[in-house]
Every structure is written in C-alpha cells, then in structure tokens.
Amino acid sequence: FSDAPVICIEPSSHFFDILKRNAALFENVQLKQRLLAPASMRGEVKFWSDEQTGSSTYDSIDPRYNEWSGEYITFSEIINDTQL
C-alpha cells in the first residue's frame, strides 16, 4: 500500500458505520458522511439504500427514493480540502 491520503465518502448511515470499522485498520484515511454531487444539484438529488446497497438519482419516480436531506460534498471541495 502507499502512504498517500485517502478520502472515503458514504452517505448511508448503515454503510458509513461499516466504513468506519474498516478504515480503522489503516492510517491516513479521512471519512466523510455526505452525498457526492455537483453544487448545482443540491436539493435535487434523491437517495435510497437498504441493508445491501444504495443509489442516488435526480430523476427517478421510484417510490423508494427520497430527497436527500443530509450533507453534500462536491468534487471541488474534495480537491481543495487542505486536510488531505
């Protein structure tokens, strides 16, 4: 492996808990419990997850999807994050 910094992004509380346990095995890993989306899509993204998987969309009429009400992160925020 390398010593390069790693960022892991996961919006689902269920999967984020698993990610935290796994990331504890490594150094230099930063975790963000957010939904990755362009800034222009904030408020328009829908998210769905269950015990096995998850997905995001902006145009689904599938009743499983709900509007995302949690925090967002964008690619530019990741690139400009000085903590990495």
Side-chain angles (χ1 to χ4, degrees), residues 6-60:
V6 175
I7 184 168
C8 300
I9 302 165
E10 175 57 55
S12 165
S13 296
H14 169 72
F15 294 116
F16 192 78
D17 288 342
I18 296 168
L19 183 61
K20 281 196 297 190
R21 289 193 307 264
N22 291 337
L25 303 172
F26 303 96
E27 293 182 21
N28 211 10
V29 176
Q30 187 179 55
L31 304 178
K32 303 272 187 187
Q33 187 174 359
R34 293 180 173 83
L35 184 67
L36 179 62
S40 62
M41 298 293 296
R42 290 183 184 200
E44 298 181 34
V45 179
K46 296 180 180 181
F47 181 77
W48 164 82
S49 72
D50 64 14
E51 294 296 313
Q52 299 293 319
T53 189
S55 179
S56 60
T57 185
Y58 67 94
D59 64 354
S60 177

Side-chain angles (χ1 to χ4, degrees), residues 50-73:
D50 64 14
E51 294 296 313
Q52 299 293 319
T53 189
S55 179
S56 60
T57 185
Y58 67 94
D59 64 354
S60 177
I61 60 171
D62 187 325
R64 294 177 298 176
Y65 286 86
N66 294 305
E67 288 187 29
W68 176 250
S69 60
E71 292 186 63
Y72 288 89
I73 192 166

